[in-house]
Structure formats: structure tokens, C-alpha cells
Amino acid sequence: QVQLVESGGGLVQPGGSLRLSCAASGFTFDDYAIGWFRQAPGKEREFVAGIGLSGGNTYYLDSVRGRFTISRDNAKNTVYLQMNSLKPEDTAVYSCAAARLPGVVSNSRRYDYWGQGTQVTVSS
């Protein structure tokens, strides 16, 4: 059974940090690029960050580059999203997804498996 389980969301003040985790099971993790997406109320889902098979290739949404860092630990079948200097506009449900592709893609339709998501709220 394929599973992607996100954790680490919560309420944080502007300027604060959170680290999201995405734990994968049920498929060959090393063969999949992983992406983080987010969806705020009333808005379309958007690509936030992605990482290639070995972790050497990463890609970020312009508005989070320099504040967010994506990484993966293939031994633990887990991908992380370190989020620093959080802003109210980062508030959304964050989901991870897996795509059986060698490189990072931002198109959500290319992803095969999805997690349920974790809520991130940035507010004072």
C-alpha cells in the first residue's frame, strides 16, 4: 500500500520556522522525484519545491527561494521541507507528492502519489 504521510505543520508567528516531513512507504522511494505543493483557501494548488532522485537537483517557487530548503534521506524514505522566515502568505495546506521521473517537475499532473497534507498557519 502506497503511503505518503506529512507531519510537522502547525501555527507559527511571522518570521518563525517549521520543518515538514514526508514519510513514504509502499513504493521504491529512490526511483521517485518528490515535490511539495500548497493550497490556500480559495486559491489553486501551487508547486513550492521539488527534489530529484539523489537530492542533487532542487527547484523552488520564486517566493520561497532562500527561505525554504528541501532535502531527502533515501535511507529513511523521507523528504523534508525546512521553512524559515515564514510569512502570513505562506499559510496553506502543504502536501507532498511523488513522481516517477528522474528530475523535478512543477506540474502536479505528473505526480503519481499524494499525501493528505498538513496545515501550516502563519499568524501573530
Side-chain angles (χ1 to χ4, degrees), residues 50-81:
I51 189 164
L53 303 185
S54 62
N57 294 323
T58 57
Y59 185 81
Y60 298 93
L61 179 69
D62 285 346
S63 62
V64 308
R65 187 176 293 112
R67 299 189 297 122
F68 291 10
T69 302
I70 189 170
S71 61
R72 68 188 292 163
D73 184 340
N74 286 353
K76 295 182 178 180
N77 286 5
T78 301
V79 170
Y80 305 97
L81 185 67

Side-chain angles (χ1 to χ4, degrees), residues 41-53:
K43 295 187 177 181
E44 292 188 355
R45 182 167 55 193
E46 66 178 352
F47 174 85
V48 176
I51 189 164
L53 303 185

Side-chain angles (χ1 to χ4, degrees), residues 26-44:
F27 61 98
T28 306
F29 184 73
D30 296 17
D31 290 343
Y32 286 73
I34 305 296
W36 281 98
F37 292 78
R38 68 185 181 188
Q39 187 166 21
K43 295 187 177 181
E44 292 188 355

